[in-house]
Amino acid sequence: MRKLQRREFTTLGLVSGLTLSVGVPMARAQDNPMPPELRDAIERQPFSPVLGNSKGDVTLTEFFDYNCPHCRTSVPVIRKLIGDDPHLRVVLREWPVFGESSEFCARASLASVKQGKYWQFHSGLMAIRGRPEEASAMRVAQEVGLDLAKLRRDMRSADVEGHIAQSMALGDHMGLMGTPTFIAGNDALFGKKSGSELKQLVAQARKDLA
C-alpha cells in the first residue's frame, strides 16, 4: 500500500472550474494527508458514477479502462465488497488510457448514467470477450435496453467531457502508474487486487479518516 503524499504541489485548474493543489506520487506520510481539494476532486465530482452507499462513511475510488484485463476482474470483487460493507461508497472514474476504443466505451458508459443504467452497461462492457469496440459496445447498450440515439447524443455532453478530462488531469498530476488504481483515504493500490486487499485499504482509510 502506498501513501498519497504531497511532494511539490502544482496549482491545477480542472474542467469543473475547481482550482486545487495536486499531490503527486505515493509514499508513506501519515502526517501529510491528501489535501481536501484533491480528495473532493477524486471522490465528489458531480457526474462520477457512485455505487454502494451514496452516503457511506468512506469512499473507494477506482480509476479504470475497459481494455484493461485486470479492471475486468475487479467487477465481481467490487460487487462483493459492496455487498459485504453497507457503509462503503464506491466511485468509478472512467480513465480511458488504452486508445480510441477505450474512449468510445468510456463516453458511452458515462452517457448511460443519464438513462439510469450505468452498472448494467458497465458490467456488460467488462464482460465483452476480446477488445471492446464501438460495434460490440453498442450491442451491449441495446441488450441492456438503452436508447441508442440518446446515448450517442449524450456521449458528447459537457458532463461526459468533464469527467474524462478530469480523470486525465488527476491521473497525470498524481503520477498514477496505470489501471486499475484504487484510492481510499490517503492510500492507493495499483494493479490486480483481491477482495481482502481492498478491504484492508478501506479499513485503513476508515482509521485514518476517523
Side-chain angles (χ1 to χ4, degrees):
M1 193 180 299
R2 310 176 82 182
K3 184 68 64 176
L4 286 166
Q5 177 190 19
R6 62 178 85 176
R7 184 178 68 184
E8 271 180 57
F9 291 125
T10 306
T11 300
L12 172 66
L14 293 179
V15 292
S16 61
L18 175 67
T19 299
L20 62 138
S21 296
V22 178
V24 190
M26 307 169 199
R28 192 83 186 161
Q30 185 66 37
D31 59 344
N32 197 9
M34 184 191 299
E37 299 93 341
L38 176 56
R39 190 182 306 286
D40 283 346
I42 294 169
E43 298 179 357
R44 302 287 171 179
Q45 185 186 11
F47 195 63
S48 294
V50 176
L51 306 174
N53 186 341
S54 61
K55 297 181 180 179
D57 62 349
V58 67
T59 298
L60 172 69
T61 302
E62 180 186 6
F63 283 72
F64 73 93
D65 184 297
Y66 287 106
N67 280 302
C68 162
H70 293 324
C71 297
R72 295 184 184 195
T73 65
S74 74
V75 173
V77 175
I78 293 293
R79 184 186 289 114
K80 186 173 189 310
L81 207 61
I82 291 169
D84 291 346
D85 188 341
H87 302 294
L88 179 63
R89 179 176 181 269
V90 174
V91 170
L92 295 181
R93 288 219 65 103
E94 305 266 355
W95 191 29
V97 292
F98 284 91
E100 256 182 56
S101 64
S102 292
E103 183 173 347
F104 182 91
C105 289
R107 285 179 177 277
S109 189
L110 287 166
S112 74
V113 172
K114 294 176 180 286
Q115 298 186 46
K117 294 192 174 183
Y118 178 83
W119 179 248
Q120 299 95 311
F121 189 40
H122 169 81
S123 301
L125 288 177
M126 286 297 195
I128 292 174
R129 293 187 176 223
R131 186 177 178 87
E133 303 283 353
E134 179 174 348
S136 55
M138 295 308 284
R139 278 198 301 272
V140 172
Q142 189 168 27
E143 287 167 5
V144 300
L146 288 164
D147 178 330
L148 303 188
K150 175 174 169 51
L151 189 75
R152 286 189 181 275
R153 289 194 302 272
D154 290 339
M155 285 172 66
R156 300 187 293 272
S157 70
D159 289 331
V160 170
E161 294 280 357
H163 178 101
I164 292 174
Q166 189 163 28
S167 292
M168 293 296 184
L170 287 167
D172 182 44
H173 285 266
M174 286 190 293
L176 300 187
M177 291 182 288
T179 58
T181 293
F182 301 94
I183 299 173
N186 302 316
D187 295 302
L189 293 173
F190 165 66
K192 182 178 181 178
K193 299 300 168 191
S194 66
S196 60
E197 288 173 307
L198 292 182
K199 282 183 180 180
Q200 183 182 354
L201 178 67
V202 169
Q204 184 63 50
R206 281 201 172 100
K207 181 179 176 182
D208 291 345
L209 299 175

